[in-house]
């Protein structure tokens, strides 16, 4: 069974950076499309970034600031986050795409990790 474990969250000031990691066990991440999502209190879960066969997609609000990447040797997907602002505060999750369709739709993803909290203060 695929298990995904996120790490790397924390508290930073606006303008700071963090790198989130999503490590997988029992399944090669390079064979599936992987996504990062986030959910702030009282808001719906939204797609942040995805990587699929080397191609990447981003939600408009993080373009130019966030980068998704993959290390096949470590079987880990990363989300590099720069120029963070308070609107980026949320629980961040990684997941594997299990249904075809829009990358940003959480319903197309499964094997969710437990999440890692990112808090950005102004």
């Amino acid at each position: 069974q695929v298990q995904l474990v996120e790490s790397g969250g924390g508290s930073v000031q606006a303008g700071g950076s963090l790198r989130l990691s999503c490590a997988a066990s029992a399944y090669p991440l390079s064979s599936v499309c992987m996504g990062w999502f986030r959910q702030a209190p009282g808001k719906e879960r939204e797609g942040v970034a995805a990587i699929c066969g080397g191609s990447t997609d981003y939600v408009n609000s993080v373009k130019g600031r966030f980068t998704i990447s993959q290390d096949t040797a470590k079987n880990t997907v990363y989300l590099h986050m720069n120029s963070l602002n308070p609107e980026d505060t949320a629980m961040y999750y990684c997941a594997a795409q299990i249904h075809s369709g829009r990358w940003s739709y959480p319903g197309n993803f499964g094997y969710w990790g437990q999440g890692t909290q990112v808090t950005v203060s102004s």
Side-chain angles (χ1 to χ4, degrees), residues 33-44:
C33 298
M34 294 296 298
W36 280 100
F37 294 78
R38 64 186 179 187
Q39 188 166 19
K43 295 188 176 181
E44 293 186 351

Side-chain angles (χ1 to χ4, degrees), residues 85-98:
N85 58 61
E87 290 69 39
D88 296 316
T89 295
M91 185 72 80
Y92 283 71
Y93 302 89
C94 68
Q97 188 160 12
I98 57 174

Side-chain angles (χ1 to χ4, degrees), residues 2 4 6 22 29 32-38 45-52 55 57 68 70 77 93-113:
V2 178
L4 302 176
E6 303 97 333
C22 172
L29 295 185
V32 297
C33 298
M34 294 296 298
W36 280 100
F37 294 78
R38 64 186 179 187
R45 190 167 297 190
E46 69 165 346
V48 176
I51 185 166
C52 187
S55 296
D57 287 287
I68 188 170
Q70 186 170 276
V77 175
Y93 302 89
C94 68
Q97 188 160 12
I98 57 174
H99 301 298
S100 60
R102 188 160 44 96
W103 71 266
S104 57
Y105 176 53
N108 289 332
F109 285 75
Y111 303 112
W112 295 88

